[in-house]
Amino acid sequence: MNRKVILTCAVTGAGDTANKSEHVPVTPQEIADDSIAAARAGASVVHVHVRDLDTKQGSREVAHYREVVRLIRASDVDPVINLTAGMGGDLVVDPQDPTTQMPGTDLVNALERLPHVEELLPEICTLDCGSLNFGDGSNIYVSTPDMLREGSKKIQTLGVRPELEIFDTGNLWFANVLVEEGLIDPPPLYQLCMGVPYGAPVDAGLLTAMVNMLPTGAQFTSFAIGRNQLPWVAQSVLAGGHARVGLEDNLYLAKGVKATNASLTERAVDIIEGLGADVATPDEARQILDLRVQTPMVTGLDL
């Protein structure tokens, strides 16, 4: 094997993990610091969520994204910045009265999920390509075909590369429809997400089937959550894809050993190089994905 592998570090996510590990970054400064540390450890891309400073749960606060991006761009590293656009899709229903929204619901339309993307113009933002029963209980992630078409059109006009988040084969089917309809500029970038209840299970055969469904010319990354994260780096690379690690999806480097984003990145670099591949630099990742680097203007000042 002799090729470039794009390595993403997903530094914090939106799940209830900040109370489970002291290494999960919460404030914009902590998130930026971890992103910078991951880039220094070898990450080509940093994938960024932000969190509410009081509850430590996921947030859509544009000011937090603005500060994280400012700090990363002012640092001595230049990773590709990938901002989530998946927040605002959570619907928690009362199982006895499904027309009633329960606490934990954060549900907005497609365009209301994108103000930070429109302002900050990251090179990549995520697009969750379908609705999903998200874990046990009554939490549904809502992303309908109408929402996806509207969001795709907006992202396309902004010149940002959408990372198509695929949680099951139905999501992949519809993502391919978006590509066929011209709503995704080439090369399409897919993220095959394995092990998120109740989407695609962690199964190498299923990964092969999903890779076989990708359109010609597509780039893909695959990741698995929890203890499967690091072994799946090898699985994804051997399947011809890129790789992702980070505290969004896994808190441990080994059994009983809590990880940092930098340590997970370093371990992933070792795995990739052990397979005979090289980790792409940020600029090599930009070339592989044909990313558009833009200079956003915020309150009259260059970021």
Side-chain angles (χ1 to χ4, degrees), residues 27 30 50 57 82 135 139 182-183 199 224 226 230 242 250 292:
T27 69
E30 291 168 349
V50 295
Q57 303 303 303
N82 174 345
N139 189 357
L183 294 172
L230 289 168
H242 305 291
N250 167 42
R292 186 184 303 181

Side-chain angles (χ1 to χ4, degrees), residues 36-112:
I36 293 164
R40 289 174 178 157
S44 324
V45 180
V46 291
H47 173 56
V48 174
H49 289 248
V50 295
R51 290 178 178 261
D52 182 274
L53 303 186
D54 295 322
T55 67
K56 299 184 180 181
Q57 303 303 303
S59 170
R60 291 187 285 111
E61 177 56 59
V62 175
H64 294 342
Y65 283 106
R66 186 184 302 128
E67 181 66 1
V68 172
V69 170
R70 183 189 70 80
L71 290 166
I72 295 172
R73 288 179 172 161
S75 74
D76 62 347
V77 292
D78 186 29
V80 175
I81 295 177
N82 174 345
L83 299 184
T84 185
M87 302 300 294
D90 291 313
L91 172 62
V92 184
V93 301
D94 182 339
Q96 304 307 317
D97 179 10
T99 63
T100 299
Q101 296 183 5
M102 299 290 286
T105 294
D106 177 31
L107 188 61
V108 297
N109 67 38
L111 298 186
E112 289 178 287

Side-chain angles (χ1 to χ4, degrees), residues 195-239:
V196 177
Y198 286 98
V202 179
D203 181 275
L206 181 57
L207 176 63
T208 299
M210 294 172 81
V211 171
N212 288 339
M213 291 176 64
L214 296 173
T216 300
Q219 294 285 334
F220 81 91
T221 299
S222 179
F223 74 87
I225 68 172
R227 64 184 180 181
N228 293 303
Q229 183 182 81
L230 289 168
W232 204 260
V233 170
Q235 193 72 54
S236 186
V237 172
L238 291 172

Side-chain angles (χ1 to χ4, degrees), residues 68-208:
V68 172
V69 170
R70 183 189 70 80
L71 290 166
I72 295 172
R73 288 179 172 161
S75 74
D76 62 347
V77 292
D78 186 29
V80 175
I81 295 177
N82 174 345
L83 299 184
T84 185
M87 302 300 294
D90 291 313
L91 172 62
V92 184
V93 301
D94 182 339
Q96 304 307 317
D97 179 10
T99 63
T100 299
Q101 296 183 5
M102 299 290 286
T105 294
D106 177 31
L107 188 61
V108 297
N109 67 38
L111 298 186
E112 289 178 287
R113 302 179 193 187
L114 295 171
H116 60 303
V117 176
E118 184 171 12
E119 177 180 317
L120 300 172
L121 298 178
E123 293 163 89
I124 302 174
C125 74
T126 61
L127 186 67
D128 294 86
C129 288
S131 300
L132 179 73
N133 286 333
F134 204 84
D136 287 315
S138 298
N139 189 357
I140 303 166
Y141 185 81
V142 178
S143 187
T144 69
D146 284 344
M147 289 177 170
L148 285 163
R149 287 189 172 98
E150 185 176 24
S152 296
K153 288 177 184 177
K154 180 65 174 180
I155 293 167
Q156 191 173 51
T157 63
L158 294 174
V160 174
R161 171 75 64 206
E163 181 181 71
L164 306 173
E165 304 296 302
I166 306 300
F167 293 93
D168 65 22
T169 52
N171 291 178
L172 179 49
W173 181 2
F174 188 75
N176 289 348
V177 170
L178 292 175
V179 173
E180 292 166 4
E181 292 178 351
L183 294 172
I184 307 296
D185 293 332
L189 172 60
Y190 290 71
Q191 176 79 268
L192 308 179
C193 312
M194 317 298 287
V196 177
Y198 286 98
V202 179
D203 181 275
L206 181 57
L207 176 63
T208 299

